[in-house]
Each structure stands twice: as structure tokens, then as C-alpha cells.
Amino acid sequence: MKKHFSFESIMEMPKLHKTHFINSLGGFKSVSLLGTINNLGQSNVAIFSSIFHIGANPPLIALIFRPSPPERDTLRNILETGFYTINHINESIYKQAHQTSARYDPAISEFDITGLQSEYKNNFKAPFVSESNIQIGVEFKERIDITINNTIMIIGQITEVYVPETCLGEDGFIDLEKANTLTCSGLDSYHKTLKLDRLSYAKPDKALTSLS
Amino acid sequence: MKKHFSFESIMEMPKLHKTHFINSLGGFKSVSLLGTINNLGQSNVAIFSSIFHIGANPPLIALIFRPSPPERDTLRNILETGFYTINHINESIYKQAHQTSARYDPAISEFDITGLQSEYKNNFKAPFVSESNIQIGVEFKERIDITINNTIMIIGQITEVYVPETCLGEDGFIDLEKANTLTCSGLDSYHKTLKLDRLSYAKPDKALTSLS
């Protein structure tokens, strides 16, 4: 039995209740740690569940920043240095990852607080998260201000990728499940995944087949 | 052992290989069916994995359209009527959902082809997918052209929600796993989820606790 919610009934929900409700509705989300550093060498790592693919050619990835903390350090560092990392979260670090969402003083590095290890490599100007199995280095490309709700969209170009060799498919597909990458829902719910199938490219007059 | 990919090595990948690779990197994604209808009464349903939350107050949800088919019918219908539905995908319909990505003639309704049932209710101007456990009615609000790669972002306001009563938490959280909502990765991989935990709101000097 489904319950119906109108726009008016949603708007009447208490603020936090509405936040949980609407955040859940978007479905399962990507959840990753963003690594940044400012020009003084102060590093930062913060969890984000608003990362999304926008194009493969060139390879672009985007995320949404809310106008409020704790994301401000990350956004400021991205705009200051032009570089950041996206690091997938797995079962061994999701609690530390979640803890990075606490509002720490900007002078404090969440790497130190949570025990997550920063990793600098290949002259990339932002720290990767060492415990992460899939690590992505990104170069800032464009900021789009979304005026309807004062959020900010940041588009970056993928310039470095580190993936376990065992997770690489012959067709370019990366097996995220084998990399232990998690997904999240709402503000605070973390999930492992259980693969059902990979399906063939759909055509009008052809039956789908399983690729795996 | 991780393998490293530079920007240059990514750009040198064959096109479809790169598409699989970069699409996987963004992590697990929301995957839903978009239901639309044009002013002549021709309905359309199409799968999208580019849907993301951008704000709860007001309740806004966004998605990215590529400039190419098969998304064009959906985009044209949204801009023509101002209304569309987002319908979560579950295990019983993911193959039919995937089949909607085939390039059918605009005069053909994917509802007829795939056997998915359209559902019109509460005077909402677009069809819901009857088999979907979580159904969302959305009103078009804003179009943002992303010039860097010619994609289009469509922002809509959530105006109708249908959720199974058994999936509603007291704090507003919706248990997507209980609703059998799937997630996807890359272009064609479908996954169930296995909940690890819901974690408490993170604060600097407080240990996290489990909410579930």
C-alpha cells in the first residue's frame, strides 16, 4: 500500500524530516571522499554523495556543493589550487569517511582526525586517500551557480585514475563491486551491492543477453 | 596492485571502451524510469542513470541529458508539457527498463513495447510506471546548458510522491532497500544492495552510533 505525499504535505514536514525524505527519493548514490590541499599545505578530506558522471569524451565528472559547511574548505581549496581527488569508499573506511562530515575547524585536517592516510603521487597537487581502492585525480574546469537554490556545481576533468588491475574488464568496464565500492542512500545509510546482471546494448528488435 | 591511467592514456582508449571506463568511475548511480507524454497524448518511458539530488528545501531533483538519442523524446516532452515522472527500478522490471534504452521510433511508446504499465493518477500530467514501488511526480523548473560538453541539465521540483508505507521511517528516511530499489554502475550493470549501517549525525567530539 503506497502513501501519497503532495507538494504541500512535503513542504509542511519539519526541516530535518524533509531533508531525510527528499535525499532518499533520488535513489542510491555515489559516495566518495574528496581530497584537497590549500596553497599553505593544509590538507582536507570530506565525504560527498553528490558526485555524478556528465560525460566520457572528454572525461568529466561533476558535484554539487551546498552553500553551507562542512563543504566550504573543500570548495575553497578546489578554487584556490584547481585540483582535487575523488576516492571511492569501501567497507573498511566508511565510518571514518562518515566522520569527515563533522564540522571541524578549518585548521584541522580530517586526515589526522580520522586516521585516513593521505597519499601524494605522480606530482598530482592534491592528496589521494590511501585506503581507497579506486582513486581519481581531477582538474577543475568550470563552476556553475545554480541560482534556484544557491547550490554550486563544479565540473572537473578526470586526469589520473588508479584502479586495481583485477577490477578492469576487457571492454573498459570497472567492476566496482569487486573493488568493494559502497553506495549510500539518504544522508547516512551505507550499502554493499550484489550484482544482478550486466545487460547487452539494447536494440529494438533484439533480445537482451547477459554480459556476465 | 593498482594500474595507473593518465589523461593521455584515457583519451587514447577506443570510444566505447572509454565510455565504459569513465561511466564506471563515478561510482554507483541512481537508476530510474522517466515517464512523459506529449501534447498529442503519445507517451514515453526511458531509463536514466543521471538523476541526482540537488536540494530538499524546496524539493529539487536534477538530471543530465546527452545531446543524442534516445533521450530526445523525453527531453522534448518535458519542455513541451512541463511535467515528468521518476520511477524507481526493482528486480522484477530491470530488464524491461534496460530495453527502453533502444532507439525506437518516436511514434512508438516504450510502454507498449516493453509491457511496462503506465499509470495516470491524481490529475498529474505524466504517466507513472505502475510496477515501480517508488514513484515521483516532477514539475520542470529550469534548464541549464552545460557548454563544456553540450549536455543539458534539467532541474525539477518534486510535487507528488508515492512510497510504500512499510518503507517510511519515523525520521523521514525512506528505506530504498525495502522498496527493492536497484542501483547501477557503468552503462549496463544492475545491482541489489545490502545495508551495512545507518550512522548518526557526525560531530567533532562524539563517537558515531548506529541508527539501525
Side-chain angles (χ1 to χ4, degrees):
Chain A
M1 191 57 190
K2 286 188 184 114
K3 184 166 177 181
H4 173 239
F5 297 88
S6 66
F7 178 71
E8 291 70 26
S9 66
I10 293 168
M11 291 306 286
E12 282 168 4
M13 290 176 179
K15 188 180 171 200
L16 185 57
H17 190 99
K18 179 164 46 183
T19 303
H20 280 297
F21 185 79
I22 299 297
N23 259 280
S24 305
L25 278 178
F28 287 103
K29 296 181 285 190
S30 173
V31 61
S32 288
L33 285 162
L34 258 73
T36 57
I37 191 166
N38 69 16
N39 283 338
L40 298 173
Q42 171 72 47
S43 65
N44 186 283
V45 60
I47 193 167
F48 280 82
S49 64
S50 60
I51 296 165
F52 52 97
H53 171 84
I54 61 163
N57 196 17
L60 298 170
I61 196 161
L63 73 156
I64 302 289
F65 282 90
R66 304 188 54 226
S68 61
E71 296 96 322
R72 280 199 294 221
D73 293 345
T74 301
L75 179 58
R76 192 181 51 235
N77 291 350
I78 290 174
L79 297 175
E80 187 173 309
T81 68
F83 293 92
Y84 51 110
T85 68
I86 295 175
N87 307 269
H88 286 204
I89 291 170
N90 54 63
E91 190 168 0
S92 70
I93 56 169
Y94 78 97
K95 289 182 183 175
Q96 290 156 287
H98 188 76
Q99 185 61 37
T100 65
S101 64
R103 301 187 185 192
Y104 292 107
D105 187 275
I108 289 175
S109 171
E110 293 83 1
F111 281 112
D112 297 333
I113 289 286
T114 61
L116 291 165
Q117 297 288 313
S118 62
E119 183 179 2
Y120 294 88
K121 55 188 172 186
N122 205 27
N123 292 318
F124 194 74
K125 294 176 189 163
F128 295 92
V129 176
S130 184
E131 294 88 344
S132 180
N133 294 327
I134 295 183
Q135 303 165 317
I136 309 164
V138 186
E139 182 180 353
F140 168 73
K141 282 291 168 187
E142 188 174 347
R143 168 187 176 153
I144 295 176
D145 291 317
I146 301 176
T147 54
I148 194 171
N149 69 345
N150 295 314
T151 51
I152 296 163
M153 179 175 172
I154 293 291
I155 301 175
Q157 185 161 282
I158 294 173
T159 62
E160 310 281 335
V161 175
Y162 297 89
V163 181
E165 286 183 11
T166 53
C167 301
L168 290 164
E170 283 184 9
D171 62 356
F173 178 75
I174 303 169
D175 191 329
L176 301 185
E177 200 162 294
K178 202 181 271 184
N180 297 313
T181 294
L182 300 184
T183 179
C184 78
S185 66
L187 298 173
D188 50 29
S189 190
Y190 296 87
H191 308 254
K192 294 205 282 191
T193 61
L194 198 62
K195 186 173 170 181
L196 287 171
D197 217 345
R198 275 191 77 194
L199 296 175
S200 57
Y201 189 83
K203 295 186 176 180
D205 296 311
K206 205 173 162 187
L208 294 172
T209 57
S210 174
L211 299 182
S212 51
Chain B
M1 192 60 191
K2 286 186 183 117
K3 184 165 180 184
H4 173 239
F5 297 88
S6 66
F7 178 70
E8 291 70 27
S9 67
I10 294 168
M11 291 306 285
E12 282 167 4
M13 290 175 178
K15 188 180 171 198
L16 185 57
H17 191 100
K18 178 163 48 184
T19 303
H20 279 297
F21 185 79
I22 298 297
N23 260 280
S24 304
L25 278 179
F28 288 103
K29 297 181 284 188
S30 172
V31 60
S32 287
L33 286 162
L34 258 74
T36 57
I37 190 165
N38 70 14
N39 283 338
L40 298 172
Q42 172 72 47
S43 64
N44 186 284
V45 61
I47 194 168
F48 281 83
S49 64
S50 60
I51 296 165
F52 52 97
H53 171 84
I54 61 163
N57 195 19
L60 298 171
I61 196 160
L63 75 156
I64 302 289
F65 283 89
R66 303 185 61 224
S68 62
E71 294 94 326
R72 281 198 295 221
D73 291 347
T74 301
L75 179 58
R76 191 182 52 233
N77 290 350
I78 290 174
L79 297 175
E80 185 172 310
T81 67
F83 292 92
Y84 51 110
T85 68
I86 296 174
N87 307 270
H88 286 205
I89 291 170
N90 54 62
E91 191 170 356
S92 71
I93 57 168
Y94 78 97
K95 289 182 184 176
Q96 291 157 287
H98 188 77
Q99 184 62 36
T100 65
S101 63
R103 300 186 185 191
Y104 293 107
D105 187 276
I108 290 176
S109 170
E110 293 82 1
F111 281 113
D112 297 334
I113 290 284
T114 62
L116 291 166
Q117 295 290 314
S118 62
E119 182 180 3
Y120 294 87
K121 54 188 173 185
N122 205 29
N123 291 318
F124 193 74
K125 293 176 192 166
F128 295 92
V129 175
S130 183
E131 294 87 344
S132 180
N133 295 325
I134 296 183
Q135 303 165 319
I136 308 166
V138 185
E139 184 180 350
F140 169 73
K141 282 291 169 186
E142 188 174 346
R143 167 187 177 153
I144 296 176
D145 290 316
I146 301 176
T147 54
I148 194 171
N149 68 345
N150 295 316
T151 52
I152 296 164
M153 179 175 171
I154 293 290
I155 301 175
Q157 184 161 281
I158 294 173
T159 62
E160 309 282 333
V161 176
Y162 297 87
V163 181
E165 286 182 11
T166 53
C167 301
L168 290 163
E170 283 184 7
D171 62 356
F173 178 77
I174 303 168
D175 191 330
L176 300 185
E177 200 163 294
K178 201 181 274 184
N180 297 313
T181 294
L182 299 185
T183 179
C184 78
S185 66
L187 298 173
D188 49 29
S189 189
Y190 296 87
H191 308 254
K192 293 205 282 190
T193 62
L194 198 62
K195 186 173 170 182
L196 287 170
D197 217 346
R198 276 191 75 193
L199 296 175
S200 58
Y201 189 82
K203 295 184 176 181
D205 297 311
K206 208 174 162 186
L208 294 171
T209 57
S210 173
L211 298 181
S212 51

